[in-house]
Amino acid sequence: MSTATLSRTAPPKSPAARAAHEFFSNKLAVIGVVIVVALMVFSFIGPLLYQTEQVSTNLMQADLKPGEDGHPLGTDGLGYDVLGRLMIAGRTSILVGLAAGVLATILGTLWGSVAGYLGGWVDATMMRIVDAGIAIPGIFLLLVISAIVRPSEWMMVLIIGAVSWLVPARLTRAEALSLKSRDYVLAIKATGGSNSRAILRHIIPNTIGTVVVNATFQVADAILLIAYVSFLGMGLQPPATDWGAMLTDGISSVYSGAWWLIFPAGIAIVLIVSAFNFIGDGLRDMFDVRGQS
Amino acid sequence: MTTTTTATRDSSGIRLFSWFLAKRLVQAAVVIAIVSVIVFLLLQALPGGPARGILGQQATDAQIAAFNHEQGFDLPLIQQYFNYVGQWLQGNLGRSFVMNTDVSSLIIQRLPKTLILALAAVGGALLVSIPLGMAQALRRNKVFDYVMTGLNFIVYSTPSFFLGLLLIMFFTQLLGWLPASAPQGDTVAQILSQPREMILPVLTSGLAGVATFSRYMRSSTIDNLHEDYVRTARAKGTPMNKVISRHVLRNSLTPVVTMLGYYLPVMFGGALVVEQLFNYPGMGLLFWNAAQTTDFPVLLGCVLVISVATVIGSLLADITQFILDPRARGGVK
């Protein structure tokens, strides 16, 4: 397929242009980017254009059907405008998901590259800690921690980051293990360069493909995890909300036929999580990273 | 002559396997030890320490001091840790302060129900995803493959409680075929006597499994289709469907079988959500109720049991892979 493309069009010049070409030839990845951008515009710019009351409840306006009284998607049981609520909930889901995904990636990359580069018993100790962390399913740990401290948004970022850095640590460690015997890394050692220089300037930049691809999947997983935590009743304190919490609130109205309390939030989660997974898949083809799912 | 070579190869194979097994067992033991430290530290991290956690918020300072002394919580941390481990090794996971029962007997009562749900879901998912993944691999990059890959992606990206909700809306509300609440009862036999109630919980957790397993099966089948043995068999005139049913299927299953061992934490995590949604009386619901009432002995007991199960699961997965896939043995030396 790629040979056919190349014979028709002139090969792009720089590696970056070639990579971009590879990425944008993956239709699903492009759809993913469009969905993420659209949902970000909706959640971050939307509230500026469509202003609604999302802090105080208004029971006079509760349970309105879509279109009633100037509410395009109706209102919920507390009188919040559903469309406006969808925007501020999206802001939380996207921000917390991105921040937790990035935090997990940074932590995991540092941990994994140090372990893989130093090797020996340091590596063995560091990786057994990772194994132990992986053995405790993240959602259980999250609930235990949430039972101790009721999380704020930033607390949520920290907790999700703290349970999600293990997989990137494993992946980076495997890369670092193979990179450390390359000539250019050995040359640093031979010329007396420090370990931190070798790790920060040479090991980590060369794992960037693996890291970026995994970071995308991490964000997708983090957004799902927030939804699960909210569903399990350990999410943010109202009036703060996220798409998972909105969907959970909607569950009780499943028999009243109030579809607008269920589908918008549910579809938003599926859209954003699929979109990040599509982008991750496209980036994987672009960086030609194998062995990640 | 030939027999000696085989004998040497066999004994070196056994030595290789014993070495691998010993190394992996030590690793697993170390990991379980670290897990126990993490659970112990979580117990220490409770607001007001374990005494406050166990006696509740109304306890007076004097009661707490007395309790601390009685339980040995005023001992040095290291000594406390070993006291805990001693108790855990005897199967004593502490007492639930909400239900006033042994945590271990609660878990023993609930765990089989979760396992039934999980086994039914995983078994059903495998029955669907093995042929599905293979069919996708054989029609790679055709419309069928694209549609199924897209569907898998969507199911994979759907929170399981939303999936369950959609199933309830469809099968219970719209069609009125199936009940939306799970089987109830104390014993496994009571659960099994309500198969209709089982369908929706199993379907919900099973669908998520299909999305995961069929992706594995698809990519491992694709990898195997490019192997030399396929070309050789074809060159010798073996029909393609025979090559597939005899060789490709068997070899493609190896990574899927291995993955089942690593799937345990996902399974327990899924059980947590599905049991809560359908009110199914398994270990996930036990854990969820304990989180609502901040019943820490139950929470930490469950975490400990699940983690140990996960470590054993991945140990079994590695051993299975070592036995089934000769290529995995390269990394041992």
Side-chain angles (χ1 to χ4, degrees):
Chain A
M1 198 179 90
S2 60
T3 41
T5 329
L6 284 181
S7 62
R8 258 185 279 119
T9 56
K13 288 169 194 73
S14 70
R18 228 177 7 243
H21 177 83
E22 176 82 27
F23 181 82
F24 285 105
S25 64
N26 182 328
K27 285 193 198 77
L28 281 181
V30 176
I31 294 175
V33 171
V34 171
I35 293 175
V36 168
V37 170
L39 285 174
M40 283 177 111
V41 168
F42 173 79
S43 304
F44 291 94
I45 301 178
L48 302 176
L49 306 173
Y50 180 77
Q51 288 167 348
T52 49
E53 174 57 56
Q54 294 295 342
V55 178
S56 327
T57 57
N58 180 0
L59 294 178
M60 307 288 288
Q61 291 273 306
D63 293 319
L64 293 178
K65 289 194 175 68
E68 273 182 351
D69 216 0
H71 298 288
L73 276 178
T75 60
D76 67 8
L78 293 173
Y80 291 127
D81 176 86
V82 171
L83 183 61
R85 196 138 187 87
L86 214 50
M87 292 171 180
I88 67 143
R91 213 165 51 189
T92 315
S93 286
I94 296 173
L95 262 186
V96 174
L98 278 175
V102 169
L103 178 68
T105 305
I106 293 174
L107 268 175
T109 306
L110 285 174
W111 189 277
S113 52
V114 169
Y117 179 77
L118 293 179
W121 66 269
V122 177
D123 175 40
T125 312
M126 289 176 86
M127 294 323 285
R128 288 305 80 73
I129 293 175
V130 171
D131 290 348
I134 286 181
I136 305 176
I139 185 87
F140 289 88
L141 201 55
L142 256 164
L143 278 201
V144 174
I145 300 174
S146 310
I148 298 174
V149 274
R150 184 79 187 194
S152 65
E153 280 183 36
W154 290 110
M155 196 69 199
M156 194 94 120
V157 170
L158 278 181
I159 301 176
I160 294 180
V163 299
S164 323
W165 60 277
L166 305 153
V167 172
R170 263 193 189 168
L171 293 170
T172 324
R173 184 249 178 191
E175 292 258 310
L177 216 51
S178 76
L179 286 170
K180 74 171 184 184
S181 52
R182 299 279 172 86
D183 288 341
Y184 57 84
V185 180
L186 293 174
I188 310 262
K189 270 189 188 163
T191 53
S194 65
N195 282 344
S196 58
R197 184 184 160 90
I199 291 171
L200 291 175
R201 302 285 289 273
H202 297 278
I203 300 281
I204 290 181
N206 279 295
T207 60
I208 200 75
T210 312
V211 169
V212 169
V213 171
N214 183 260
T216 324
F217 293 128
Q218 288 295 331
V219 173
D221 287 350
I223 294 176
L224 271 182
L225 211 49
I226 304 161
Y228 283 128
V229 173
S230 292
F231 170 71
L232 294 168
M234 293 287 170
L236 300 170
Q237 203 74 265
T241 190
D242 70 277
W243 284 331
M246 283 185 75
L247 177 55
T248 306
D249 291 341
I251 292 181
S252 52
S253 47
V254 65
Y255 290 101
S256 72
W259 57 267
W260 60 95
L261 297 181
I262 296 169
F263 286 101
I267 291 170
I269 299 174
V270 177
L271 275 179
I272 192 98
V273 177
S274 315
F276 275 109
N277 279 323
F278 289 157
I279 295 175
D281 238 32
L283 289 173
R284 176 168 49 195
D285 293 348
M286 184 178 112
F287 286 112
D288 198 22
V289 182
R290 296 205 72 218
Q292 288 195 12
S293 60
Chain B
M1 184 66 196
T2 338
T3 39
T4 19
T5 4
T6 330
T8 349
R9 203 189 298 140
D10 277 355
S11 72
S12 88
I14 289 169
R15 220 180 313 133
L16 202 61
F17 181 69
S18 333
W19 169 236
F20 162 80
L21 195 63
K23 198 178 134 179
R24 232 7 226 91
L25 280 173
V26 171
Q27 258 186 24
V30 171
V31 171
I32 289 177
I34 300 176
V35 168
S36 71
V37 172
I38 296 177
V39 172
F40 173 73
L41 290 178
L42 277 173
L43 203 61
Q44 300 299 317
L46 300 184
R52 182 66 73 193
I54 291 165
L55 292 180
Q57 296 302 325
Q58 269 85 45
T60 64
D61 286 350
Q63 279 174 314
I64 286 186
F67 182 82
N68 277 344
H69 185 70
E70 182 191 321
Q71 298 287 321
F73 290 151
D74 48 357
L75 295 171
L77 274 187
I78 301 281
Q79 207 174 333
Q80 282 191 49
Y81 170 72
F82 283 108
N83 287 348
Y84 267 108
V85 172
Q87 292 295 313
W88 288 337
L89 285 177
Q90 292 167 39
N92 182 4
L93 297 174
R95 272 184 98 74
S96 156
F97 63 80
V98 175
M99 287 169 275
N100 200 24
T101 323
D102 271 345
V103 173
S104 35
S105 55
L106 280 173
I107 292 178
I108 289 170
Q109 196 206 345
R110 299 295 198 100
L111 186 60
K113 295 175 200 159
T114 295
L115 289 180
I116 291 174
L117 178 61
L119 279 180
V122 169
L126 284 176
L127 283 181
V128 175
S129 48
I130 290 171
L132 178 63
M134 281 195 88
Q136 279 181 264
L138 293 173
R139 291 171 188 73
R140 192 186 176 186
N141 296 339
K142 300 270 171 56
V143 177
F144 173 74
D145 180 30
Y146 280 130
V147 171
M148 293 323 288
T149 304
L151 276 178
N152 275 339
F153 253 125
I154 292 173
V155 172
Y156 185 79
S157 306
T158 307
S160 54
F161 60 96
F162 185 40
L163 200 63
L165 197 60
L166 294 176
L167 292 174
I168 291 176
M169 291 172 102
F170 188 70
F171 287 106
T172 309
Q173 262 193 295
L174 196 67
L175 301 175
W177 287 355
L178 295 168
S181 64
Q184 302 298 321
D186 286 336
T187 64
V188 170
Q190 280 172 313
I191 300 287
L192 288 177
S193 68
Q194 302 160 62
R196 264 168 59 84
E197 279 79 1
M198 260 326 248
I199 297 178
L200 283 184
V202 168
L203 207 57
T204 307
S205 28
L207 274 174
V210 170
T212 311
F213 298 155
S214 63
R215 270 168 86 182
Y216 265 83
M217 193 59 198
R218 175 181 178 271
S219 67
S220 89
T221 309
I222 287 173
D223 287 348
N224 270 291
L225 284 174
H226 291 124
E227 290 285 340
D228 288 340
Y229 71 82
V230 174
R231 211 184 318 156
T232 311
R234 290 290 286 144
K236 284 163 79 181
T238 320
M240 195 60 191
N241 45 20
K242 215 167 210 176
V243 178
I244 289 168
S245 61
R246 286 229 182 121
H247 305 290
V248 177
L249 173 64
R250 186 184 174 281
N251 286 314
S252 309
L253 278 178
T254 311
V256 178
V257 171
T258 310
M259 204 209 62
L260 287 179
Y262 300 117
Y263 197 67
L264 274 178
V266 185
M267 221 178 63
F268 280 116
L272 184 55
V273 175
V274 171
E275 290 181 9
Q276 211 288 95
L277 181 67
F278 290 98
N279 196 26
Y280 180 86
M283 196 164 155
L285 195 62
L286 174 72
F287 188 87
W288 186 78
N289 285 328
Q292 301 306 304
T293 51
T294 50
D295 193 348
F296 287 107
V298 175
L299 289 178
L300 296 178
C302 289
V303 167
L304 201 63
V305 169
I306 290 167
S307 311
V308 171
T310 307
V311 173
I312 294 172
S314 54
L315 178 69
L316 291 179
D318 286 356
I319 294 173
T320 316
Q321 194 183 19
F322 187 93
I323 294 169
L324 291 181
D325 188 350
R327 284 171 302 185
R329 292 166 210 176
V332 179
K333 282 166 239 162

